[in-house]
Amino acid sequence: MKRIYSRRLLLGAILFIAASTVYLTAEAISAHAWTDPEYGYAFHYISDLGVAKRMTIDGRAVFSPLANVMNGGFIVYGILSTSAYLLTIRLVQKKARVLVSAAAVVQGIGNILVGLFPGESYSYANMHVIGAGMAIIAGNLTLILIGIYLNKQYRLPKRIAIGLGVFGLLALSFMLTYDFGYPAVFERLSVYTMTVWNLIFGIWLIQKSKVRIKRN
C-alpha cells in the first residue's frame, strides 16, 4: 500500500512539472512565431497567443500564427495540473480534501475552456472570459488552500503556496482596476504564480521521495 502511495506521489510530482513545462514551452513557441505585429510580453495578453485571426482587440493588434500551439498548451496544462493535484491530494488534511480537489478541478476546467474558446473579445462574459476567471481565481485559491491545509510537517511549501496564491490574486485585482498601458504585466504575474508553484512543489516532492528511498 505504501509503495502504491509513493508511486502516486511521484507521478503527481512529475505531472506538476510537466504541466508548467508544457505551458511555458507553448507560450514561448507561440510568442516567438509572432512577426507582424511583434509580440510584447508586457502589452499582449497570454490569451492573445491563442487568437489565429488578424484583428484588433482593445487596441492591441493581434495575430498568432501558432495559435493552436498555445490553445493546446492551455488544454494540456488544465488536464495535467488537475491530475497532479488529485494524485497528491492525500498530502492534504482529510477535512479539506474535497474543497481542495474542487478548486483544482475548477482551475483545470477553466484552462481547458480558455484553450477551446480563444480570447477574441473581452466585451462581455463569454466562455473565454469565464474560463480565464476560473483558471486564475480558482488556481490561486487552490494555492492558498494547499498552504492552509497541507499536512503540518510541510511548513516551507505551505508558506510558499500561501504567499504565491495571495500575490496572484492581488496581481489580478491590480490588472482589473488599474490601467497604466501595460495590461499583460499583472496578468502574467497572476498566472505565473501557478506555474512557479507547480515546478517548486513537483521538484520538492521528487526530492522528498529520494530521501525516503535512501532511508529505506
Side-chain angles (χ1 to χ4, degrees):
M1 196 70 176
K2 287 184 178 179
R3 187 173 297 176
I4 295 173
Y5 178 45
S6 297
R7 287 178 180 174
R8 289 186 63 181
L9 288 182
L10 182 58
L11 178 57
I14 292 171
L15 293 186
F16 271 124
I17 296 171
S20 288
T21 301
V22 167
Y23 182 88
L24 295 173
T25 301
E27 182 184 10
I29 292 173
S30 301
H32 183 72
W34 278 49
T35 55
D36 180 25
E38 185 177 349
Y39 185 79
Y41 275 82
F43 182 69
H44 288 97
Y45 288 142
I46 300 172
S47 293
D48 291 343
L49 292 169
V51 179
K53 300 178 182 178
R54 191 178 292 277
M55 58 192 304
T56 300
I57 304 174
D58 297 338
R60 303 185 308 279
V62 173
F63 174 59
S64 180
L66 295 181
N68 288 337
V69 173
M70 189 68 251
N71 290 327
F74 286 131
I75 294 170
V76 174
Y77 176 85
I79 294 170
L80 292 179
S81 62
T82 301
S83 299
Y85 276 116
L86 296 180
L87 284 168
T88 58
I89 196 64
R90 292 179 70 177
L91 296 178
V92 174
Q93 298 173 34
K94 286 185 178 180
K95 63 182 180 181
R97 287 177 185 174
V98 173
L99 179 61
V100 174
S101 296
V105 169
V106 170
Q107 67 83 29
I109 293 174
N111 277 287
I112 293 172
L113 290 176
V114 168
L116 292 176
F117 301 93
E120 297 175 2
S121 172
Y122 297 86
S123 59
Y124 56 93
N126 54 38
M127 292 304 294
H128 182 85
V129 173
I130 292 171
M134 292 169 63
I136 297 175
I137 296 174
N140 282 293
L141 182 59
T142 303
L143 300 190
I144 296 173
L145 292 173
I146 284 285
I148 295 172
Y149 294 112
L150 198 64
N151 289 331
K152 294 180 181 179
Q153 62 264 38
Y154 306 123
R155 292 182 181 178
L156 182 58
K158 285 167 68 72
R159 293 172 182 172
I160 293 173
I162 292 175
L164 287 172
V166 170
F167 182 85
L169 292 179
L170 287 175
L172 177 63
S173 67
F174 272 104
M175 184 193 79
L176 296 175
T177 55
Y178 291 93
D179 182 10
F180 60 104
Y182 298 97
V185 171
F186 286 112
E187 182 218 19
R188 283 191 150 76
L189 290 176
S190 70
V191 170
Y192 288 162
T193 52
M194 293 170 277
T195 54
V196 168
W197 164 255
N198 291 345
L199 294 172
I200 290 175
F201 197 47
I203 293 171
W204 185 83
L205 286 174
I206 290 174
Q207 288 298 115
K208 284 294 180 182
S209 69
K210 288 181 179 179
V211 171
R212 288 175 182 172
I213 292 172
K214 289 179 181 178
R215 287 179 178 175
N216 293 337

